[in-house]
Amino acid sequence: MKLRKVLVVAGGVAALLVVTAIAVPFFIPVETYKAELIAQAEAKTGRKIRVDGPVSFRLLPNIALTLRDAGVGNPEWAKGGDLFAAKEIALGVELMPLFDRQVVITDITLKEPVISLIRQGGQANWEFPESAAKKEEGGQTAPGKPVIRSFSLQKLSVEKGSLSYRDGVSRTDVTDMSLNLSMPALDKQASMNGEIGWGGQKYSLKALLDTPQAVMDGKRFGLDLGVQASGVSVNWKGKAALQPALSGEGALKATVGSLARLGLKSEGVALPENLSLSGDTTLDARQLVLKKGTLVLDDQQLSAEAGVRFGEGVPHLTLAAWGKAFSLDPFLEKPENLTQKRALANAPARETKWSEEPLFDPAGLRKANAEIDLALDTLTYGEYKLSPLKLNAKLSGGVLRLQVPETGVFGGRASLNAVADAAGNVPSFSVGLKLADMQAEPLLTALAEFNRITGTLNGGVNADMRGNSQKDLVSSLSGDGRLVFTDGALKGVNLAAMARNVKSAFGAAVERDPNAKTDFSELSGSFQIRQGVVSNQDLVLRSPFLRLAGAGQVDLPAATVDYRLKPTLVTSMEGQGAQDAEAQKGIMVPIIVRGPFHKLSYTPDLAAMIQDRENIEKAVRDLKPVVKELKETVKDKEKLKEMLGGGLKNLLGGGKQQPAPVEAAPPSQPQAPAPVAN
């Protein structure tokens, strides 16, 4: 009987509790207590707390609390604003575990939260002072059982959130945050996934946190973080800490499946399909640094060190890479193949046409700042080789500066200083190039598909240009330079034969000899460039029996040449070592070189030759010492007579002629160098 009464009483109490729990939310005026709750929260945090919207509360089956238009203010030193604000905060807590001192949060939903983190003068707005009550207790917790035995968060959702960080020097903004967090217990692994926006790019995030309790206690914690965006994947795994400041050490692997998927492209360039960077890293709030790294581009790899700095508006990247050998063959298109270029000397040249297609997107140089150092024992492209190579490139504010102190290339050495300025709407470029002991033919073939000069090249070029197409760059080209070719040949023309062959000078038809060439011991000249027109007034060619002076211009936009060459057949047998006075002896037959690059014509300047009759007569007189010298060395008079007779016939147009290419009728008036466009 007594047991029945006890059960009846217990059941009545339970029913009363249930009815009370259901009725409380209807009878308790939440708005009445809102001000009191806010006051207590402000006392605990030392911050201004606001709840500008309505508050809703439910007790069963689980506790549910919703705040609208709520926020936590900044400390006074931050001069206003909120540390945290949200359009809506919804909290769900299981009721029954609370009786066992267990807090089980079923969900926290933050709608359109705005988090503003500020660090200034050694202070941070997310650090809260101790409450007054705790200060009075000397910071000690009363003895006994802990108030909370366990804590878990089943789900935290962030919808359309934003976060900013600023420290008086830099600022970082994260937008469009949509995150989900799960934390089964403080001493168990927590997980997070979602998306954020940063720098105009969407990123997917995944993270595993070893123990949230370590984070709350300000200790180091294990972290496995993954970030993906547009084919780029970055994974970091290691140990990190948030106090006293962000820091960490771990292993990094960053992979780019295809650069083309990032919107990067360039005509004639095959971008890597597999680009990755891995190594040991350290990080803090401002930068990530990689050591002992490996850079992989498809099937090739280099040793590397790298870093990225944040908070400068755009990322600042650094990369140092080095290795023994690297080939560009997998990435650079070979125009015709290198072996076919060797055949251009005996094949008809192609007409030069400058493309109007954009070369690149200038905005790409404004998306990041960077500094790159590259050191290779050998860099190859087909049969071309640079060895050794050191390169430094700096990109800042859309301006790229490139330096190659000195490298071995084409059998000689070269150094380069170049600037590409894409800060404005129209990119501009400047180049300073120095060449020493380089083989001219492979160099000119590689740069301009021009293979009609052989020999050793020394000199330098300085040039400036503007535009984003071949046509614009060539048309705006300005600068100056000097080039000296030694011990080589001009291919496709025999100037010495043309100067000797007076008959061809009067227009006799002569078939072109594809193997014709003009050997020289030196070919040199300086030049100026204005709006793509190259002007030269001091061209000099020297060979044992030929001297040549030239002046004229090369119009690069039109791809044409207009040149006047003044050769001298040297009658002295001293050759290149002859004195200047001796070098001026001989018959002078000026030659006009004119036409498009692919079809140059060589014709004598008849009017100038006729006007120089006095010099011709002088040259004939000067042949006498040569004849005398030959008589002394040749004792066979019949043979001497035959040799002299044949030689004079050839000189005056008789006998078998040497072929000399002629393609245009001679001009009727003396030709002067064409004026240079200003």
Side-chain angles (χ1 to χ4, degrees), residues 475-647:
S475 299
S476 64
L477 182 65
S478 297
D480 55 40
R482 177 172 174 79
L483 300 176
V484 179
F485 300 84
T486 56
D487 300 326
L490 295 174
K491 299 167 66 173
V493 60
N494 189 335
L495 295 177
M498 180 175 288
R500 286 195 303 267
N501 196 337
V502 179
K503 183 176 181 180
S504 69
F506 285 92
V510 180
E511 295 183 0
R512 174 179 293 277
D513 182 356
N515 297 315
K517 65 178 181 177
T518 300
D519 295 319
F520 59 78
S521 56
E522 179 182 330
L523 172 62
S524 63
S526 60
F527 56 88
Q528 294 75 42
I529 313 172
R530 298 293 181 269
Q531 297 179 347
V533 179
V534 184
S535 175
N536 164 251
Q537 302 299 322
D538 61 356
L539 180 70
V540 174
L541 182 146
R542 294 186 177 92
S543 68
F545 288 95
L546 178 68
R547 300 291 185 270
L548 181 147
Q553 65 182 24
V554 177
D555 190 331
L556 294 176
T560 60
V561 175
D562 189 357
Y563 238 77
R564 183 175 187 271
L565 304 175
K566 186 178 182 181
T568 302
L569 292 180
V570 180
T571 57
S572 169
M573 296 189 64
E574 297 180 24
Q576 186 177 358
Q579 300 297 321
D580 290 342
E582 288 293 316
Q584 297 300 321
K585 295 180 179 179
I587 301 175
M588 304 174 68
V589 184
I591 300 170
I592 300 298
V593 182
R594 183 176 291 152
F597 288 175
H598 69 288
K599 197 175 182 181
L600 293 177
S601 65
Y602 303 82
T603 58
D605 187 350
L606 294 180
M609 182 183 70
I610 295 172
Q611 291 175 359
D612 205 9
R613 181 175 179 179
E614 179 181 351
N615 191 59
I616 295 176
E617 294 174 350
K618 179 177 180 296
V620 173
R621 293 195 302 269
D622 289 336
L623 286 174
K624 294 180 180 180
V626 179
V627 175
K628 182 178 180 181
E629 184 178 350
L630 290 173
K631 284 182 178 181
E632 294 176 354
T633 56
V634 181
K635 296 181 179 180
D636 189 335
K637 294 184 179 180
E638 294 299 325
K639 185 176 181 180
L640 175 61
K641 181 178 179 182
E642 179 183 350
M643 182 179 64
L644 289 176

Side-chain angles (χ1 to χ4, degrees), residues 32 45 86 160 170 175 177 190 207 328 347 376-377 404 428 468 472 478 495 514 606 666 674:
T32 301
T45 62
K160 299 181 180 179
S170 61
T175 61
M177 291 194 305
L328 297 176
L376 297 172
D377 290 348
V404 179
S428 62
N468 194 20
D472 290 342
S478 297
L495 295 177
L606 294 180

Side-chain angles (χ1 to χ4, degrees), residues 36-49:
E36 178 62 27
L37 294 173
I38 290 175
Q40 292 186 20
E42 289 180 341
K44 291 287 186 181
T45 62
R47 302 290 180 84
K48 178 71 175 176
I49 307 295

Side-chain angles (χ1 to χ4, degrees), residues 433-445:
L433 180 64
K434 293 182 179 180
L435 311 174
D437 301 327
M438 297 180 67
Q439 293 304 303
E441 183 179 14
L443 170 66
L444 296 177
T445 300

Side-chain angles (χ1 to χ4, degrees), residues 35 37-51 71-85 115-119 123-132:
L37 294 173
I38 290 175
Q40 292 186 20
E42 289 180 341
K44 291 287 186 181
T45 62
R47 302 290 180 84
K48 178 71 175 176
I49 307 295
R50 62 177 181 83
V51 182
V72 178
N74 275 319
E76 293 183 1
W77 57 262
K79 298 180 180 179
D82 290 331
L83 163 65
F84 171 85
I115 304 171
S116 301
L117 304 179
I118 304 172
R119 181 178 288 278
Q123 304 177 94
N125 68 338
W126 61 86
E127 296 174 348
F128 291 87
E130 294 180 334
S131 66

